[in-house]
Amino acid sequence: MGAVPVYLIVCLLFLSGCATERIQHSRDQQLKVFGIELYSPVDYRQIGESTATEEPCLKGYERSFDAVDVTIGYGFNGKIRKITTRNRSTSMFDIRPGMGLTEGQSRAVQAGFIPVSPVHYQKKDLSLTLLADENGMLFGITVEILD
């Protein structure tokens, strides 16, 4: 009789671990930026023909890929903690550079983000920033892990 509760606890722990992985995988499917994934330890030094330039930042370092308009921020642990894209062929949470700010705001809310300001949104451990010009058009998007 004592083995049954232990077995159930082990099964529940195993299943909860799988659910966490499924949530993480689902989030990464919402990021369509050359296969780059948050929390990933992949050490990107080149994307396509674009070679990175690296600069230190307060939370680690950033690599900019100017030819493809993407910047990847790494934490001191070597994992991806921030992605910025200005590339119109990419999207994050169905928001694309080149669309109107109003549409981007609507899509951010549809993706479950809560507005903090007209261009800044949060959801659990994520921050989403819409980079807009004076004409109300998005020229970029940043998603970052909140510490």
Side-chain angles (χ1 to χ4, degrees), residues 15-36:
L15 291 174
S16 68
C18 292
T20 303
E21 184 64 30
R22 188 171 27 247
I23 290 168
Q24 180 67 38
H25 183 66
S26 174
R27 176 187 301 158
D28 291 334
Q29 289 176 340
Q30 296 293 313
L31 306 178
K32 296 181 174 131
V33 183
F34 302 104
I36 302 165

Side-chain angles (χ1 to χ4, degrees), residues 6 12-13 20 28 32 44 49 52 57 66 73 75 88 107 123 129:
V6 172
L12 288 173
L13 289 173
T20 303
D28 291 334
K32 296 181 174 131
Y44 288 95
E49 299 296 317
C57 68
D66 293 335
R88 290 177 177 235
R107 290 185 184 196
K123 174 179 169 179
T129 304

Side-chain angles (χ1 to χ4, degrees), residues 112-127:
F113 284 89
I114 298 167
V116 176
S117 78
V119 294
H120 189 80
Y121 295 78
Q122 289 184 349
K123 174 179 169 179
K124 296 184 183 179
D125 64 339
L126 290 182
S127 167

Side-chain angles (χ1 to χ4, degrees), residues 2-146:
V4 173
V6 172
Y7 174 75
L8 288 174
I9 290 171
V10 170
C11 286
L12 288 173
L13 289 173
F14 176 75
L15 291 174
S16 68
C18 292
T20 303
E21 184 64 30
R22 188 171 27 247
I23 290 168
Q24 180 67 38
H25 183 66
S26 174
R27 176 187 301 158
D28 291 334
Q29 289 176 340
Q30 296 293 313
L31 306 178
K32 296 181 174 131
V33 183
F34 302 104
I36 302 165
E37 298 178 2
L38 291 172
Y39 301 99
S40 171
V42 175
D43 187 20
Y44 288 95
R45 294 186 182 271
Q46 190 161 350
I47 297 175
E49 299 296 317
S50 183
T51 302
T53 57
E54 187 172 313
E55 293 185 26
C57 68
L58 292 175
K59 296 183 180 182
Y61 59 95
E62 290 188 351
R63 291 202 178 129
S64 296
F65 301 86
D66 293 335
V68 292
D69 287 331
V70 170
T71 302
I72 302 172
Y74 288 87
F76 291 113
N77 63 1
K79 293 186 178 181
I80 296 172
R81 54 171 271 296
K82 178 179 169 184
I83 304 167
T84 299
T85 183
R86 295 164 308 284
N87 187 313
R88 290 177 177 235
S89 69
T90 62
S91 69
M92 292 196 267
F93 302 98
D94 205 28
I95 304 167
R96 295 181 177 281
M99 73 173 33
L101 174 60
T102 304
E103 186 176 357
Q105 292 168 325
S106 175
R107 290 185 184 196
V109 171
Q110 287 173 357
F113 284 89
I114 298 167
V116 176
S117 78
V119 294
H120 189 80
Y121 295 78
Q122 289 184 349
K123 174 179 169 179
K124 296 184 183 179
D125 64 339
L126 290 182
S127 167
L128 175 73
T129 304
L130 305 176
L131 308 172
D133 64 19
E134 63 278 353
N135 298 320
M137 298 301 291
L138 295 180
F139 64 85
I141 310 154
T142 297
V143 66
E144 183 172 8
I145 298 167
L146 296 171

